[in-house]
Amino acid sequence: MTFGRLSRASHTFLVCCLFGVITGCGPSRSSVAPDQAPLWQQVADLTAVHSAASDGSGEAEHRGTQRVLPQGFRGNPSCVECHPDQARSYLKTAHARSGRFVQSSVVGQGRIWEDKNRPRKFHAQLSENGMVHEVRHVAPDGSTTSVQRAKISFEFGSGTHAHTYAFRDGAFWCESPLSWYADGVGWDVSPGFETRLQPEFDREITNRCVYCHVGAIEQWDHSPHRFEIRQASIGCERCHGGGHDHIQYQSRNEADRSDTHDPIVNPAKLSRATAEAVCAQCHLQGDQLIVAEQTDVWDFAPGQALESNRMDIRLRGQDGHRIVGHTEQLRNSPCYIQSATLSCVTCHDPHGDRSRPDATYYRDVCWQCHTDDACGLDQGLRLETNSNDCSSCHMPVQPTNVVHAALHQHRIGIHAESYPPAAPVASASPRKKIARDEPLAADEQPRSLYPLINLVASNNDSMASEQMQRRQALAVYNAVFNGVSGDEWETDMAWARDQLITQLKRNPRDRAVRVTLARDYLNHGQTDQAERLLGEIVGDVARVDRVGIQSIAILAEIRMRQRNSILAKPHYQRLTALRRLSGDHYFHGLCCVNTGETEGAIQSFQSVLRIDAHLAAAHQQLAVIFASRGERELAESHNEASRTSGPNE
């Protein structure tokens, strides 16, 4: 599970309340040429947010224990040696084109355009030297208030719908705010950026982000932030399992293989549920993802039940047509419910080059169970309306929660877009308002969210029930920590707290439970209890996974609340090496201010502005420092930047 990032308001609050920061407000306005970066960016070379590792597939220097994921990975070439025909057919599919290093980008040209809603310009530049993305903010007089650019390293997406881009900043992968879209749209802002005011180049990519787009990664110390891409697109082993043991098995002589079985997985021989899990690992996505204790999504292996690795959870009231909703929608279809065999591969051949099949293909699939006469509409009318295409009526294309991404609805049925139109559906009756003092029983489920796969229904035993309660309790906390609120959440939060305390009594070494309760204690001002829960987690330097990093962040915040900058500073210093978050650099800079380390403070605040050029509090800090050193022009440049940074998100 993850916790939300510190907001701009949190930054400003701590600055003002804990440290009494004085901000400068000079009356004059600096003069900047229209195409020139402002002085504060020029002096510290803060325009380029990428690192040298952005050249091609260059890699950063990593330290620690490494492992290649998925387990037993060997790579496509090892499969091709013995299975050339299967590999040849698979390589024609969109899955096999899911990612590439940018030298082989399939986008032909760049674009320069202006934001219609905000004073900024975008530039996607393609040349023989690679691809560069740039965002430039401009003042009313046409002068540049900030400019950031990144040299692109990687391109995600087959191009069926879009391409999204990544750049390298030291050890970290980051997402570009610019994407290319199919169907004549071309270049535009990336999904999620269209509603953001700023910043643009601060979104770090973790190992979960790339899970459904690349074939294999090499990871260090279990960190979600430090990895290298070992296979650029989804390969054979994503569906069939790691090839290492299979190759070892096939290399033995026949006598040595008699008492064992080939560990490779053929999804066609699995049960419907476990075969669907192979697809659902990427085509099922909720609002919350809770993984099994001390595991990661990359630990899933074909042949397992998906719920043995993770639980995808939906928040109630968030049920619109989603970019990744295929599995959930299909399972809600009458056709699926009434069939014992209908599944993803009924329509989608994993080895077939049918990214956009014609109407005849899908109609033939429908006719495996239905007849032409079963439609109820005259065939001539169907031909005139939609060329007798079953899917256009019963699985219509609908807008999703992602910009420029309209996809087929996978709940097979009669929709508003169907012909003739579906009857109006009455709005669901409002849920009963629950009083805050009305408790949930221990064996009840939270009322604000629900799992997309019910663990108890899949494994009807007490262990499954305990695990389901644990995962849902963690999801409740995760949602609340990220800003949801309301009476039902108050009730669910009380239930979740009791659940996690019970879980901790059963298993005192449950790291995710410990760090979640520690954050809860800290939010209620009980720092001593929070710190006691973190001890052994922070001390485990060999496992700096999500839970370990969250533990360090909580302990750093405890020290800040105690106004102990000397002890807080090494924690923030460690965090800046573990993840790319402007808040970590910012608080490290505050610690340096309070310990009298001016040069360290300058470097930290400049690191903030390299990630987030619009964080007013960092500009204000640097303005004060440079003014105290007599560097008035530079101080005024930061003051001007703080005034033009715009509203916080």
Side-chain angles (χ1 to χ4, degrees):
M1 60 181 295
T2 57
F3 296 126
R5 294 185 173 185
L6 291 166
S7 66
R8 310 288 194 286
S10 297
H11 293 161
T12 306
F13 174 81
L14 281 174
V15 171
C16 296
C17 294
L18 297 181
F19 303 95
V21 173
I22 301 173
T23 61
C25 296
S28 63
R29 187 176 180 84
S30 59
S31 176
V32 180
D35 295 326
Q36 183 180 2
L39 179 63
W40 65 267
Q41 283 192 309
Q42 294 181 51
V43 167
D45 191 23
L46 299 179
T47 58
V49 296
H50 62 274
S51 66
S54 287
D55 294 323
S57 57
E59 298 176 1
E61 179 182 353
H62 296 284
R63 296 179 181 177
T65 302
Q66 64 192 80
R67 60 176 187 152
V68 176
L69 299 170
Q71 183 91 18
F73 173 78
R74 289 293 295 265
N76 284 347
S78 296
C79 304
V80 172
E81 289 183 17
C82 299
H83 308 282
D85 293 338
Q86 292 90 335
R88 191 179 300 113
S89 66
Y90 173 74
L91 292 175
K92 295 179 181 179
T93 67
H95 283 123
R97 303 190 302 273
S98 61
R100 66 204 60 80
F101 288 98
V102 84
Q103 297 100 317
S104 56
S105 171
V106 296
V107 174
Q109 59 185 1
R111 182 192 177 196
I112 301 175
W113 74 103
E114 294 186 7
D115 192 332
K116 297 178 181 178
N117 303 312
R118 302 179 187 90
R120 59 182 177 179
K121 298 179 180 179
F122 305 113
H123 187 189
Q125 178 183 0
L126 281 66
S127 70
E128 61 182 12
N129 296 320
M131 183 185 296
V132 174
H133 290 180
E134 178 183 286
V135 178
R136 185 178 296 267
H137 284 252
V138 293
D141 63 2
S143 63
T144 297
T145 59
S146 71
V147 57
Q148 289 180 292
R149 62 178 64 93
K151 187 170 184 180
I152 300 303
S153 294
F154 200 82
E155 181 178 66
F156 296 102
S158 67
T160 303
H161 301 291
H163 294 301
T164 295
Y165 297 89
F167 63 93
R168 298 298 303 272
D169 186 9
F172 308 115
W173 287 91
C174 313
E175 182 182 353
S176 168
L178 309 183
S179 288
W180 180 91
Y181 297 91
D183 297 327
V185 175
W187 288 98
D188 204 346
V189 293
S190 299
F193 285 92
E194 72 279 359
T195 58
R196 304 184 81 193
L197 297 177
Q198 51 208 218
E200 288 91 7
F201 289 93
D202 68 322
R203 185 181 286 178
E204 188 185 352
I205 294 174
T206 68
N207 66 337
R208 286 186 185 178
C209 302
V210 301
Y211 177 65
C212 295
H213 299 280
V214 306
I217 62 171
E218 190 169 3
Q219 184 181 31
W220 277 262
D221 288 344
H222 300 272
S223 171
H225 305 277
R226 297 173 57 231
F227 62 91
E228 298 295 340
I229 296 172
R230 288 289 171 250
Q231 182 167 287
S233 59
I234 300 297
C236 311
E237 290 159 288
R238 179 55 58 88
C239 297
H240 295 283
H244 179 270
D245 291 345
H246 167 64
I247 293 172
Q248 293 292 316
Y249 174 86
Q250 292 294 338
S251 299
R252 301 173 192 162
N253 59 51
E254 188 172 347
D256 293 336
R257 294 186 309 202
S258 60
D259 59 346
T260 58
H261 69 280
D262 191 338
I264 206 69
V265 174
N266 182 350
K269 297 181 179 180
L270 298 175
S271 67
R272 181 166 75 161
T274 50
E276 283 182 342
V278 174
C279 304
Q281 61 180 310
C282 290
H283 292 274
L284 179 74
Q285 188 179 94
D287 303 295
Q288 302 283 341
L289 173 64
I290 306 297
V291 297
E293 186 180 356
Q294 297 201 39
T295 64
D296 192 86
V297 292
W298 282 93
D299 293 317
F300 172 79
Q304 293 179 332
L306 189 65
E307 58 269 26
S308 68
N309 171 261
R310 74 195 215 200
M311 181 177 284
D312 295 86
I313 293 174
R314 176 83 74 237
L315 306 186
R316 297 196 186 277
Q318 305 290 322
D319 299 328
H321 188 37
R322 304 168 67 87
I323 187 71
V324 184
H326 320 97
T327 303
E328 177 187 5
Q329 294 161 8
L330 179 64
R331 291 184 176 185
N332 288 329
S333 304
C335 289
Y336 181 92
I337 295 170
Q338 296 172 25
S339 169
T341 58
L342 178 63
S343 70
C344 310
V345 296
T346 302
C347 295
H348 300 288
D349 180 359
H351 282 268
D353 183 21
R354 286 189 174 273
S355 57
R356 294 186 175 183
D358 57 25
T360 302
Y361 174 80
Y362 285 127
R363 187 168 60 244
D364 290 344
V365 172
C366 295
W367 284 356
Q368 293 177 18
C369 297
H370 303 278
T371 65
D372 186 37
D373 296 334
C375 180
L377 289 178
D378 179 74
Q379 187 182 74
L381 180 59
R382 280 181 270 144
L383 288 169
E384 178 183 346
T385 303
N386 57 23
S387 301
N388 201 17
D389 178 7
C390 305
S391 64
S392 69
C393 274
H394 299 287
M395 301 178 68
V397 173
Q398 297 175 339
T400 69
N401 59 325
V402 172
V403 63
H404 301 312
L407 301 179
H408 277 280
Q409 166 65 247
H410 276 61
R411 182 179 62 80
I412 308 168
I414 306 297
H415 300 268
E417 297 89 343
S418 303
Y419 186 87
V425 178
S427 299
S429 58
R431 293 174 60 81
K432 175 191 173 188
K433 186 173 181 179
I434 301 170
R436 294 189 181 189
D437 59 353
E438 182 183 336
L440 286 172
D443 59 348
E444 283 193 81
Q445 307 301 315
R447 300 169 186 180
S448 303
L449 48 77
Y450 60 93
L452 295 181
I453 297 178
N454 190 307
L455 186 62
V456 176
S458 304
N459 303 274
N460 191 18
D461 55 45
S462 59
M463 182 69 73
S465 179
E466 291 176 9
Q467 280 301 306
M468 185 164 175
Q469 303 289 64
R470 171 187 179 273
R471 294 180 187 184
Q472 290 186 102
L474 289 173
V476 169
Y477 266 99
N478 199 22
V480 171
F481 287 159
N482 281 281
V484 303
S485 60
D487 288 349
E488 291 193 13
W489 285 101
E490 291 282 347
T491 304
D492 285 350
M493 191 67 171
W495 171 86
R497 186 176 293 115
D498 289 342
Q499 286 292 327
L500 292 195
I501 290 173
T502 301
Q503 292 285 341
L504 189 63
K505 292 176 181 177
R506 290 175 181 150
N507 181 13
R509 302 185 67 83
D510 190 323
R511 300 164 77 251
V513 169
R514 293 179 75 90
V515 75
T516 302
L517 288 173
R519 166 57 67 182
D520 193 24
Y521 277 121
L522 181 60
N523 289 351
H524 286 83
Q526 297 172 271
T527 56
D528 291 343
Q529 294 90 328
E531 188 171 350
R532 278 199 294 270
L533 285 167
L534 298 176
E536 65 182 40
I537 302 177
V538 175
D540 186 3
V541 296
R543 191 178 181 92
V544 284
D545 56 5
R546 282 179 171 79
V547 172
I549 293 172
Q550 290 160 9
S551 300
I552 298 168
I554 294 172
L555 188 56
E557 187 175 340
I558 289 173
R559 297 294 177 245
M560 290 293 277
R561 293 193 183 194
Q562 295 170 341
R563 302 192 179 202
N564 193 331
S565 294
I566 294 176
L567 293 182
K569 187 161 72 73
H571 294 309
Y572 283 117
Q573 180 68 45
R574 188 179 178 195
L575 286 171
T576 62
L578 292 174
R579 61 186 186 183
R580 186 183 184 268
L581 185 59
S582 60
D584 296 334
H585 292 280
Y586 181 78
F587 287 116
H588 183 264
L590 291 182
C591 291
C592 289
V593 168
N594 291 320
T595 56
E597 300 170 72
T598 304
E599 292 301 324
I602 292 173
Q603 291 178 13
S604 292
F605 293 134
Q606 287 176 339
S607 294
V608 172
L609 296 177
R610 186 170 173 272
I611 298 172
D612 177 358
H614 308 282
L615 185 56
H619 282 296
Q620 292 161 0
Q621 288 283 349
L622 287 169
V624 171
I625 293 174
F626 288 125
S628 70
R629 290 165 42 145
E631 300 179 59
R632 297 192 177 279
E633 186 177 6
L634 184 53
E636 177 53 30
S637 180
H638 280 290
N639 271 326
E640 178 66 18
S642 73
R643 291 191 291 268
T644 59
S645 290
N648 293 326
E649 292 182 86

